[in-house]
């Protein structure tokens, strides 16, 4: 004879079974992979964002943890991206072009507004060089394959000089400054804050900045794979960076103090830099990438990169 189970007892058994099943459900939840956002940064806006902690607060409800790693330069960050060590970083115009040409899976995700006054050609205060045309045949020192390399090419074109008219000497910023200070070169093409430091401490004179020549944007990058899976995280990061930008535009004195401490430079040097910057950070667009394409085409023509590249291949999905 089959024993009938009363309704109350049936409910008790069902509840016990559910209770037994709960630990395995919790274990499954615990094993679910949490999202990470690994950020590489130089001493700049991303470092300021790190100090504020606002990005972590925005991403916490999405279950995203943030990890920060400091780097010395943009190209090193791009190498870290290429080997899968970071998901996001900041860089100038030129390094991502070299990275894409080398096959890195980078994606542009954000850009600052143009900052043409933040790069310039410097000459000694008493130099006989008075115009850009006077640079013909003179020794000009710069960082090879950098944003200022593109700038000097376009500046020369604008003033009727051929690339062959430029006697370029390639040195990184610290060595370039030493050569400039010793007088072994006639001009130095450089960006802030090195530019401002030379103006303040060496009494160098700006022959021409990039106004009306090139844009000189800064870029934020990720990988194509990370963009495809984490567009929401990247959108929040760009929003938070733009907030820092907006704060900096309204509080230049405080911004200069923070950057002077980061850079290890006197505050007047940082003030000179921030007072000539333009402010604003936004998601990447095809129009902005068209600017990068011009740089890439120029570098290919100069044989600085081994092949012609299509910058739009680094646009990621959903770029307007």
């Amino acid at each position: 004879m089959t024993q009938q189970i009363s309704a109350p007892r049936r409910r008790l058994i069902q509840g016990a079974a559910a209770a037994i099943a709960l630990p395995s459900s919790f274990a499954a939840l615990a094993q679910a992979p949490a999202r990470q956002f690994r950020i590489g940064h130089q001493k700049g806006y991303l470092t300021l964002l790190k100090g504020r902690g606002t990005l972590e607060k925005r991403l916490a409800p999405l279950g995203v943890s943030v990890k920060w790693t400091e780097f010395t330069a943009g190209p090193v960050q791009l190498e870290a991206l290429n080997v899968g060590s970071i998901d996001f970083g900041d860089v100038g115009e030129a390094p991502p072009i070299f990275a894409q040409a080398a096959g890195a899976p980078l994606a542009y995700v954000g850009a600052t507004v143009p900052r043409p006054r933040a790069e310039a050609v410097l000459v000694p205060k008493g130099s006989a060089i008075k115009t850009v045309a006077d640079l013909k045949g003179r020794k000009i020192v710069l960082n090879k394959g950098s944003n200022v390399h593109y700038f000097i090419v376009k500046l020369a074109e604008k003033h009727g000089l051929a690339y062959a008219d430029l006697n370029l000497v390639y040195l990184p910023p610290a060595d370039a400054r030493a050569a400039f200070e010793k007088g072994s070169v006639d001009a130095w093409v450089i960006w802030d804050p090195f530019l401002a430091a030379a103006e303040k401490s060496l009494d160098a004179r700006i022959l021409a900045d990039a106004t009306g020549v090139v844009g000189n944007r800064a870029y934020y990058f990720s990988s194509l794979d990370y963009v495809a899976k984490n567009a929401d995280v990247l959108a929040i990061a760009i929003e938070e960076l733009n907030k820092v930008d907006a704060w900096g535009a309204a509080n230049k004195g405080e911004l200069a103090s923070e950057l002077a401490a980061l850079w290890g430079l006197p505050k007047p040097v940082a003030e000179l830099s921030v007072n000539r910057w333009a402010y604003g950070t936004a998601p990447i667009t095809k129009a902005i990438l068209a600017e990068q394409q011009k740089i890439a085409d120029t570098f290919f023509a100069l044989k600085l990169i081994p092949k012609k590249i299509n910058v739009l291949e680094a646009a990621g999905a959903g770029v307007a």
Side-chain angles (χ1 to χ4, degrees):
M1 180 177 178
T2 303
Q3 185 179 1
Q4 296 294 319
I5 301 175
S6 66
R9 188 177 179 189
R10 189 182 300 113
R11 286 193 294 270
L12 182 62
I13 293 170
Q14 290 170 341
I20 292 169
L22 279 175
S24 62
S25 299
F26 284 136
L29 285 171
Q31 291 169 3
R35 286 200 289 171
Q36 267 198 325
F37 190 34
R38 301 166 301 167
I39 302 173
H41 65 106
Q42 303 175 56
K43 294 183 186 298
Y45 266 42
L46 276 173
T47 312
L48 300 184
L49 179 60
K50 177 188 176 186
R52 282 154 172 74
T54 55
L55 182 60
E56 286 83 350
K57 290 177 183 177
R58 288 282 308 274
L59 293 178
L62 301 179
V64 179
S65 63
V66 182
K67 178 184 177 183
W68 300 84
T69 304
E70 185 173 311
F71 291 85
T72 56
V76 188
Q77 289 187 73
L78 288 163
E79 289 173 17
L81 179 85
N82 198 28
V83 299
S85 298
I86 62 171
D87 306 307
F88 186 75
D90 56 334
V91 73
E93 293 169 325
I97 289 169
F98 287 91
Q100 187 180 353
L106 77 95
Y108 294 88
V109 295
T112 67
V113 296
R115 292 173 173 170
R117 296 178 62 209
E119 62 180 0
V121 179
L122 285 175
V123 294
K125 184 180 180 180
S127 172
I129 298 172
K130 302 300 180 184
T131 69
V132 173
D134 294 338
L135 291 173
K136 183 175 181 178
R138 303 296 189 108
K139 282 189 178 179
I140 306 165
V141 66
L142 54 83
N143 198 48
K144 185 176 182 178
S146 66
N147 58 329
V148 295
H149 199 158
Y150 178 65
F151 163 47
I152 194 64
V153 170
K154 291 302 175 182
L155 182 69
E157 285 180 6
K158 183 176 180 179
H159 291 269
L161 295 179
Y163 187 66
D165 292 328
L166 304 177
N167 183 6
L168 301 183
V169 178
Y170 301 124
L171 291 173
D175 294 335
R177 178 187 165 109
F180 182 79
E181 193 170 1
K182 286 188 294 186
S184 54
V185 295
D186 300 300
W188 180 19
V189 196
I190 191 58
W191 60 85
D192 275 326
F194 301 103
L195 171 61
E199 288 179 85
K200 287 291 185 182
S201 62
L202 303 180
D203 206 17
R205 170 169 58 88
I206 289 181
L207 179 70
D209 65 26
T211 302
V213 183
V214 297
N216 189 37
R217 296 180 190 266
Y219 288 91
Y220 295 97
F221 64 86
S222 185
S223 68
L224 291 168
D225 183 62
Y226 195 86
V227 170
K229 298 173 182 176
N230 300 278
D232 55 342
V233 174
L234 295 165
I236 288 171
I238 298 302
E239 287 174 10
E240 290 302 314
L241 282 163
N242 190 46
K243 289 178 184 176
V244 177
D245 234 349
W247 171 85
N251 301 275
K252 291 181 181 178
E254 292 178 57
L255 175 62
S257 294
E258 289 194 37
L259 289 176
L262 272 181
W263 295 336
L265 293 171
K267 185 177 177 180
V269 171
E271 285 177 329
L272 184 55
S273 295
V274 303
N275 283 327
R276 62 182 163 214
W277 288 355
Y279 294 84
T281 300
I284 206 72
T285 65
K286 289 181 180 178
I288 291 174
L289 290 182
E291 298 173 15
Q292 283 292 89
Q293 188 65 56
K294 291 178 182 178
I295 301 175
D297 291 345
T298 298
F299 283 174
F300 176 68
L302 296 175
K303 296 182 171 55
L304 293 174
I305 56 175
K307 63 180 182 180
K308 190 173 179 64
I309 63 170
N310 179 2
V311 173
L312 284 177
E313 290 177 359
V319 174

